Amino acid sequence: MDNQPKIFVAGHQGMVGSAILRTLAQNGQKNIITRSRSELNLTDQAGVRAFLEAEKPDQIYLAAAKVGGIHANNTYPAEFIYTNLMIESNVIHEAWRVGVKKILLLGSSCIYPKLAPQPMNESALLTGTLEPTNEPYAIAKIAGIKLCESYNRQYHESHGTDYRSVMPTNLYGPGDNYHPENSHVIPALIRRIHDAKITDSPAVTVWGSGSPRREFLYVDDMAAACVHIMNLEYATFAAHTHPMQSHINVGYGDDITILKLAETVADTIGFQGEIKFDPGKPDGAPRKLMDSTLLNTLGWKAKVTLKQGLSLAYNDFLNTYTS
């Protein structure tokens, strides 16, 4: 452990944070520190300051965030923008203050304009109007990107600051949130279709028209990409990014309609009933496909197919909620 960096994984109990822990462990990393939400409230600046002063990690994976689907974002916009702004501001500033050199901030594909050209390249940031249903969350994540870039611009030469941001596409897998109302599309479909199967329901109704296209990435692939980007040599990272456009997309490389996704989830679960759609419910953006060319150029590409990932996610759901 003496030769290993000391790593703080913020949000280690969430889906992405726990996947990062798994990936770091698989890589032989043992010098890892974590704190649960009850142990450390990241919206409390004084608490964050005391923690980082005591621990002084070498690296921080900032995976902690308040997240949710369309319903949650529409219902709790103030909570989404406030909580995420506070987490990012406290961790990034207090980390800089105690001399932490490396941070990896996890953002979201919703930072891009609603009608951004597809696939969405990093250069699309701040070029158009955001999707209204998750604008507060997106604004907070954009602010996080700009915090990282601003600290790099002002303090890289004097302090060695090297703060990076990754923008994942839609994630799913072990540790996901299967809440019936506040979950994202894949866990929502898994729960709803599983419930329909065990109750012998003849049909399942899905929000929206079924026509929007979405890209999905298995969470352990995302974690592997995070570790890859964190560990890139600074010269390599700097050569492929710009001081005011340094975030990196992390995607699978292909997308699927919500209709086809629902059918694929039903096939995974073994549900034989009808899939119906409610066009009175919001669709969100018509399409969200990430351009991951930059990440592929930097030596990383997703490995887990949607079919493989859905099977793993459903097994996790069964073990977590029905065992």
Side-chain angles (χ1 to χ4, degrees):
M1 286 178 58
D2 290 342
N3 296 322
Q4 293 185 339
K6 188 177 188 180
I7 300 174
F8 171 43
V9 180
H12 75 287
Q13 294 178 317
M15 178 174 64
V16 181
S18 60
I20 290 173
L21 283 184
R22 288 194 296 273
T23 300
L24 291 171
Q26 290 166 4
N27 292 350
Q29 181 68 47
K30 295 182 173 63
N31 196 6
I32 301 172
I33 52 175
T34 60
R35 291 293 186 275
S36 67
R37 190 176 303 172
S38 61
E39 294 172 317
L40 176 62
N41 179 0
L42 295 178
T43 67
D44 174 11
Q45 185 177 28
V48 173
R49 173 174 295 183
F51 167 74
L52 291 175
E53 283 181 340
E55 295 291 346
K56 291 186 171 59
D58 300 299
Q59 299 180 3
I60 297 175
Y61 287 88
L62 185 42
K66 182 174 180 63
V67 299
I70 290 175
H71 175 80
N73 275 273
N74 265 336
T75 307
Y76 311 110
E79 293 179 31
F80 273 83
I81 193 167
Y82 171 81
T83 302
N84 288 298
L85 283 172
M86 292 301 292
I87 289 171
E88 295 162 354
S89 297
N90 289 341
V91 173
I92 291 170
H93 179 72
E94 297 303 331
W96 167 79
R97 207 180 61 82
V98 301
V100 177
K101 299 293 193 295
K102 302 198 73 173
I103 295 176
L104 189 78
L105 169 76
L106 281 83
S108 168
S109 61
C110 70
I111 64 167
Y112 293 116
K114 177 177 180 177
L115 300 178
Q118 302 292 320
M120 296 180 290
N121 186 268
E122 286 87 353
S123 62
L125 182 64
L126 298 177
T127 60
T129 304
L130 297 166
E131 161 59 38
T133 56
N134 55 24
E135 182 190 75
Y137 178 75
I139 291 289
K141 287 301 178 182
I142 292 169
I145 295 171
K146 295 305 175 183
L147 274 168
C148 289
E149 290 178 349
S150 298
Y151 277 70
N152 289 341
R153 290 168 60 203
Q154 187 167 346
Y155 299 117
H156 174 70
E157 293 299 327
S158 60
H159 293 71
T161 303
D162 182 6
Y163 298 165
R164 305 176 184 185
S165 302
V166 290
M167 299 300 117
T169 190
N170 299 288
L171 303 174
Y172 68 99
D176 212 337
N177 168 27
Y178 295 94
H179 189 280
E181 292 183 340
N182 294 342
S183 58
H184 287 105
V185 60
I186 284 183
L189 286 172
I190 287 175
R191 177 161 188 157
R192 195 171 303 170
I193 293 173
H194 170 81
D195 289 347
K197 177 187 175 183
I198 64 174
T199 58
D200 293 320
S201 297
V204 170
T205 300
V206 180
W207 274 30
S209 66
S211 62
R213 301 185 67 89
R214 291 292 184 270
E215 177 186 29
F216 298 97
L217 181 70
Y218 188 64
V219 70
D220 286 67
D221 266 349
M222 178 61 197
C226 288
V227 174
H228 179 82
I229 293 168
M230 175 71 93
N231 292 328
L232 285 172
E233 292 292 334
Y234 176 77
T236 301
F237 175 78
H240 288 84
T241 59
H242 304 285
M244 295 182 70
Q245 187 189 298
S246 64
H247 62 288
I248 298 176
N249 288 344
V250 184
Y252 178 73
D254 196 10
D255 60 0
I256 186 174
T257 65
I258 298 300
L259 169 60
K260 182 63 177 175
L261 173 66
E263 293 173 344
T264 305
V265 172
D267 182 62
T268 300
I269 291 173
F271 175 68
Q272 302 295 320
E274 183 182 1
I275 305 292
K276 297 181 178 181
F277 286 85
D278 180 0
K281 294 294 193 293
D283 269 337
R287 191 182 190 197
K288 289 173 68 175
L289 175 63
M290 306 282 271
D291 181 349
S292 298
T293 303
L294 173 56
L295 178 58
N296 299 157
T297 300
L298 290 168
W300 188 90
K301 190 171 178 62
K303 297 178 180 178
V304 181
T305 67
L306 182 62
K307 186 175 180 180
Q308 292 169 335
L310 287 175
S311 179
L312 292 166
Y314 184 51
N315 286 335
D316 174 68
F317 172 79
L318 292 175
N319 292 332
T320 304
Y321 289 92
T322 64
S323 58

